[in-house]
Amino acid sequence: MLKILAEHYFGSMLVTDDRGRFLYVSDGTCRLLGVDRETLLQLSIYDTLKGYCFATSASSIKTLETKQECLSNHTLTASGRQVLALSRPHFGPDGELQYVPTYSWDEEELYTLLEKFDQERDNVRNVIRFMQGTDKTPSMIIAESDAMVKLLEYADHVAAVDITVILYGESGSGKEMFAKYIHARSDRADQVFIPINCASLPPSLLEEEMFGYERGTFTGGSKDGRIGLFEFADKGTIFLDEIGEMSLELQAKLLRIIETGEVKRLGSNRIQKCDVRIIAATNRNLREMVEEKAFRADLYYRLNVLTIHVPPLRERVADIAPLTRYFVQLFNKKYGFTKHLMPALIRALEQWSWPGNVRELRNTVERMMVESRDSIIDAAAFREIPPGISSPKTSECPVPDLLPYQQAMNIYEREYLSAMVASCGGDLRKAAGKMELHLSTLYRKLEKLGLKPPRTSGNCQGPGEEPLH
């Protein structure tokens, strides 16, 4: 069994005793040295170098002399072949050197091995892309509001330019989905997309994840070292979420990657080129952090080339209904349900301010569907708005001085129009007269704010429109 394992080893294998005499040689070793097995087993490694292959050096000789592991690159002058060899000492029960096994690969074998590694890495990347959904068409973002439609058009333009992008937006607003969208629309779409949350790990562990480390760098680390995510994502995209939480020391290393495309594993002096597009995201004001010396100014200016501000859900009310329908479909499939949400519940969802944005909406829909025992879920299932209340409470709206002027005006104009129409029983003519507005003006305002007029005998709505709440 040991002989079978040795003969099928990828490369060449030999074993010498403590004096360098051959005890075992594989077929690969015989082919590499150009000497038959019977001859080799009567020789030592010293004889082989001098009278047969005339190698420039041998890792096994270095191990015999130093009793330490040795890796060497040498040339077999008889054949001109370049060989990489690794020798390790094996000690007996008395602590003395007993055997020296040596593993070697010539240049052609190494290239073949690297090709196999590249193939396998491509396979792994394809699996990751499938699991992340970045291998699908970029219709991954649901957008019906004017603000989001325009933003996606800009994202299409940004995706075509292979440059660093930074996404600003509140937590849960969908920044990672935008990063995936940009990746899926770029020339790197067939490569891997790797998200890294800079706030989820302490700086030392985050550095290990990003850059990897060599064997023996850390006590308790992988005995073979670890490839870093930047190295793994070569030719692909790295998404750095919550980049404002990254330590200043790591920021300096990230800046070097952006400027030079060079990555160095921890514990190594070897520099590797890495072709990665970086998309960063934050919910903090990086300019203020620069002024406070909490974020490097040079990194800020390198990142802040193309910026996208992802609006919170409260600023794109027209997206709430289609997002809700999507989540209902998603959780029906996940749990085997056949549940539906009443129109009144959808309207209640549209009136909530959603401080947790799309993430909060998703969790809320899932909770309501799991808790409900009925196939039709009404507005009472939405805890944030008590049953019987048909208009939004002013306390649910953001404090005006925390919002830009136009945004605050839109929120309160929506409240005002909803309340006035509701007080008139849904009669738009009556509501327009009460507000001293022309009826056509009221229609335009409702359409602009994403409010659909109610169906009453006094109005001229289409059969598919839903009433205001």
Side-chain angles (χ1 to χ4, degrees):
M1 181 63 69
L2 291 174
K3 182 178 180 181
I4 291 173
L5 291 173
E7 291 301 331
H8 286 277
Y9 174 72
F10 187 89
S12 305
M13 184 186 302
L14 62 88
V15 180
T16 71
D17 62 13
D18 60 337
R19 297 182 181 181
R21 293 175 297 193
F22 290 110
L23 301 177
Y24 170 80
V25 290
S26 68
D27 289 342
T29 301
C30 297
R31 290 192 299 269
L32 184 64
L33 300 180
V35 184
D36 61 88
R37 180 181 278 108
E38 289 74 14
T39 302
L40 285 174
L41 292 177
Q42 298 175 25
L43 302 173
S44 73
I45 187 67
Y46 302 100
D47 299 326
T48 307
L49 292 185
K50 294 177 180 178
Y52 290 87
C53 60
F54 302 101
T56 54
S57 63
S59 61
S60 54
I61 292 179
K62 293 181 181 178
T63 297
L64 287 167
E65 294 173 350
T66 64
K67 297 183 181 181
Q68 294 181 350
E69 179 181 294
C70 291
L71 179 68
S72 68
N73 183 20
H74 52 271
T75 304
L76 303 180
T77 53
S79 62
R81 300 172 81 173
Q82 295 288 327
V83 177
L84 179 68
L86 173 66
S87 297
R88 289 175 171 169
H90 177 82
F91 300 97
D94 58 357
E96 293 296 323
L97 181 65
Q98 188 175 20
Y99 305 117
V100 176
T102 298
Y103 313 89
S104 56
W105 311 266
D106 72 0
E107 189 176 19
E108 292 181 4
E109 289 173 328
L110 285 175
Y111 279 128
T112 302
L113 189 61
L114 287 174
E115 287 177 3
K116 290 188 176 182
F117 280 150
D118 287 340
Q119 270 186 340
E120 191 58 35
R121 183 166 65 173
D122 288 341
N123 291 337
V124 173
R125 286 173 169 173
N126 289 335
V127 170
I128 292 176
R129 288 174 52 242
F130 174 78
M131 294 175 68
Q132 294 172 335
T134 52
D135 63 326
K136 300 179 177 65
T137 56
S139 58
M140 56 185 74
I141 296 181
I142 296 173
E144 293 188 7
S145 63
D146 290 342
M148 287 294 285
V149 170
K150 291 178 180 177
L151 201 58
L152 287 181
E153 291 176 354
Y154 180 67
D156 286 337
H157 171 70
V158 167
V161 184
D162 196 22
I163 197 170
T164 303
V165 180
I166 187 164
L167 306 171
Y168 291 94
E170 296 179 3
S171 178
S173 58
K175 297 187 292 295
E176 183 170 342
M177 289 303 297
F178 257 93
K180 287 182 177 180
Y181 181 89
I182 292 171
H183 171 77
R185 300 286 286 188
S186 73
D187 292 338
R188 299 175 182 262
D190 60 342
Q191 300 295 330
V192 72
F193 173 92
I194 299 292
I196 302 176
N197 190 317
C198 300
S200 64
L201 293 172
S204 59
L205 292 181
L206 180 60
E207 186 175 15
E208 291 178 26
E209 290 292 323
M210 290 172 61
F211 305 115
Y213 56 86
E214 290 294 336
R215 179 177 57 193
T217 304
F218 304 108
T219 302
S222 172
K223 64 177 182 178
D224 296 320
R226 176 183 292 177
I227 185 174
L229 293 178
F230 270 89
E231 191 177 340
F232 181 79
D234 187 36
K235 303 296 190 298
T237 302
I238 286 279
F239 173 58
L240 297 174
D241 196 10
E242 305 297 348
I243 195 171
E245 308 302 323
M246 184 179 288
S247 68
L248 291 172
E249 182 181 357
L250 270 182
Q251 289 177 29
K253 294 188 175 183
L254 176 61
L255 179 63
R256 177 176 175 82
I257 294 176
I258 296 175
E259 290 181 336
T260 67
E262 295 177 349
V263 177
K264 186 170 66 174
R265 292 188 190 182
L266 300 179
S268 173
N269 293 321
R270 186 165 58 95
I271 294 176
Q272 295 188 169
K273 282 291 185 179
C274 186
D275 176 18
V276 172
R277 181 180 192 174
I278 295 175
I279 301 177
T282 183
N283 58 7
R284 303 181 64 178
N285 189 322
L286 293 187
R287 183 179 289 276
E288 289 182 358
M289 292 183 67
V290 169
E291 294 173 356
E292 297 167 359
K293 308 298 183 183
F295 199 86
R296 292 180 62 102
D298 47 7
L299 178 59
Y300 170 73
Y301 291 118
R302 288 306 299 259
L303 290 173
N304 209 53
V305 180
L306 293 177
T307 62
I308 292 180
H309 293 265
V310 182
L313 190 56
R314 63 180 174 273
E315 292 182 17
R316 43 188 174 110
V317 177
D319 293 330
I320 293 177
L323 280 168
T324 301
R325 288 193 293 269
Y326 168 76
F327 292 140
V328 168
Q329 183 181 14
L330 179 70
F331 295 125
N332 272 335
K333 182 177 180 180
K334 179 179 179 179
Y335 296 114
F337 294 157
T338 55
K339 297 185 178 182
H340 303 278
L341 271 57
M342 290 286 286
L345 175 53
I346 301 292
R347 292 193 295 274
L349 297 177
E350 289 179 326
Q351 294 179 28
W352 181 242
S353 60
W354 298 110
N357 292 295
V358 180
R359 184 184 296 121
E360 182 187 2
L361 175 62
R362 176 193 172 103
N363 294 340
T364 299
V365 172
E366 183 175 20
R367 174 190 61 76
M368 292 190 299
M369 293 182 67
V370 171
E371 287 184 346
S372 176
R373 298 182 179 180
D374 301 320
S375 58
I376 303 297
I377 306 174
D378 59 24
F382 187 40
R383 295 173 182 170
E384 283 76 5
I385 299 181
I389 294 190
S390 58
S391 59
K393 300 180 291 182
T394 56
S395 61
E396 293 169 357
C397 293
V399 180
D401 59 6
L402 298 181
L403 297 174
Y405 172 79
Q406 190 57 52
Q407 182 182 333
M409 290 299 294
N410 288 342
I411 290 174
Y412 287 112
E413 185 177 20
R414 179 184 173 84
E415 273 194 3
Y416 172 73
L417 294 177
S418 298
M420 289 297 291
V421 172
S423 69
C424 296
D427 189 331
L428 294 189
R429 292 185 183 277
K430 183 177 179 181
K434 195 172 181 180
M435 290 183 283
E436 299 182 359
L437 293 176
H438 194 278
L439 182 59
S440 61
T441 302
L442 178 57
Y443 268 104
R444 285 197 301 272
K445 287 183 175 292
L446 294 177
E447 183 178 359
K448 175 185 175 182
L449 296 171
L451 298 171
K452 295 183 179 179
R455 289 177 294 180
T456 65
S457 57
N459 296 326
C460 304
Q461 296 80 351
E465 295 174 332
E466 299 218 354
L468 285 161
H469 198 284

